[in-house]
Amino acid sequence: TSYFKNFFKSENIHQVDLIILSHMDTDHVNGLEEFVQNYKVGKIVYSLPKEETNSYTNFKNIIQKYM
């Protein structure tokens, strides 16, 4: 997340039209909350997991809170 934060700040970017999460593993979901707190996000596209996981539950909570 710090890489994106630094890049977006240097380029004066305040919004992202689309975020794509290919799957709900922790390494893909981590950092999402901080990201949606700091940037306007138009849409998030994601694939549904085969079963409910902690990462997916965390993802749903983030979406409900910030989107």
Side-chain angles (χ1 to χ4, degrees):
T1 310
S2 62
Y3 170 81
F4 289 108
K5 233 178 175 175
N6 293 334
F7 176 74
F8 284 15
K9 185 176 182 176
S10 72
E11 297 296 319
N12 201 30
I13 297 171
H14 302 284
Q15 75 177 43
V16 174
D17 296 329
L18 177 66
I19 293 176
I20 299 172
L21 293 174
S22 60
H23 56 281
M24 291 294 154
D25 286 359
T26 302
D27 63 326
H28 287 245
V29 175
N30 280 353
L32 181 65
E33 183 169 15
E34 183 181 350
F35 197 87
V36 296
Q37 282 178 319
N38 291 296
Y39 302 98
K40 182 180 177 185
V41 175
K43 183 185 270 189
I44 299 177
V45 175
Y46 57 95
S47 59
L48 291 173
K50 294 178 183 176
E51 59 187 37
E52 188 81 17
T53 63
N54 290 338
S55 292
Y56 183 57
T57 300
N58 185 36
F59 170 77
K60 291 190 303 184
N61 291 336
I62 292 167
I63 297 304
Q64 286 178 337
K65 188 173 182 180
Y66 297 103
M67 301 291 292

